[in-house]
Amino acid sequence: MSVGAASGLVVGVTLLNLDSNSLTYVEGASISVITDKSDYKRGEPIQVRVVNTGTIPLETSTQWNLRITGLSGMIMYDGGEHTDSFLPPGLDYTIMWNQTKNDGDIVLEGLYRISVEGTYAGGHTIQDWVTVTVWK
């Protein structure tokens, strides 16, 4: 019985540590995108953090090539503002999205994919994405 209780405790602690916003740092190039939460009310600002989770500096010339698409792949927002940025290992950059599409309309309820991209030595690209839900 004590073995079962100990196993339950270990599994419980493990499940508590499985957080969708937890980051894993690796050797080499790595980029991660996280949001402050996964569910939003329609029109609520979404905080998008771009984190260099590797050991190599990352660069961008267009606000981390932020793209927000519906799950069908249709581009809702393309944050292609020209902003040369440099992101050293372990640091992050925050972008706020007010849930407006490129045409100025607010997005409808649904699932959205937020993706970012950076470049590193030799012009190689690396990307990551996260899915969020917008509710009424």
Side-chain angles (χ1 to χ4, degrees):
M1 189 154 144
S2 61
V3 171
S7 299
L9 178 63
V10 169
V11 169
V13 169
T14 302
L15 289 176
L16 280 175
N17 289 331
L18 292 177
D19 178 8
S20 62
N21 285 340
S22 64
L23 297 174
T24 303
Y25 291 84
V26 299
E27 187 74 28
S30 179
I31 192 169
S32 297
V33 59
I34 58 173
T35 55
D36 52 332
K37 54 187 183 177
S38 59
D39 296 320
Y40 295 88
K41 292 181 181 172
R42 190 165 179 238
E44 179 182 5
I46 297 177
Q47 178 182 330
V48 179
R49 279 183 54 216
V50 180
V51 185
N52 183 344
T53 49
T55 57
I56 297 173
L58 299 174
E59 298 178 22
T60 185
S61 60
T62 57
Q63 197 173 8
W64 301 106
N65 201 20
L66 175 70
R67 276 217 170 106
I68 297 158
T69 62
L71 289 184
S72 65
M74 176 185 268
I75 295 177
M76 300 292 166
Y77 178 79
D78 183 359
E81 299 173 19
H82 183 77
T83 56
D84 289 329
S85 294
F86 177 78
L87 195 58
L91 296 183
D92 64 271
Y93 180 83
T94 301
I95 303 166
M96 294 299 288
W97 178 50
N98 60 2
Q99 293 189 25
T100 55
K101 299 188 285 187
N102 283 337
D103 65 7
D105 292 339
I106 294 180
V107 298
L108 298 175
E109 303 82 29
L111 294 170
Y112 293 91
R113 180 179 175 169
I114 300 172
S115 62
V116 296
E117 183 177 280
T119 60
Y120 61 98
H124 300 285
T125 60
I126 189 163
Q127 63 176 241
D128 190 31
W129 58 272
V130 66
T131 303
V132 297
T133 305
V134 174
W135 302 95
K136 257 187 176 178

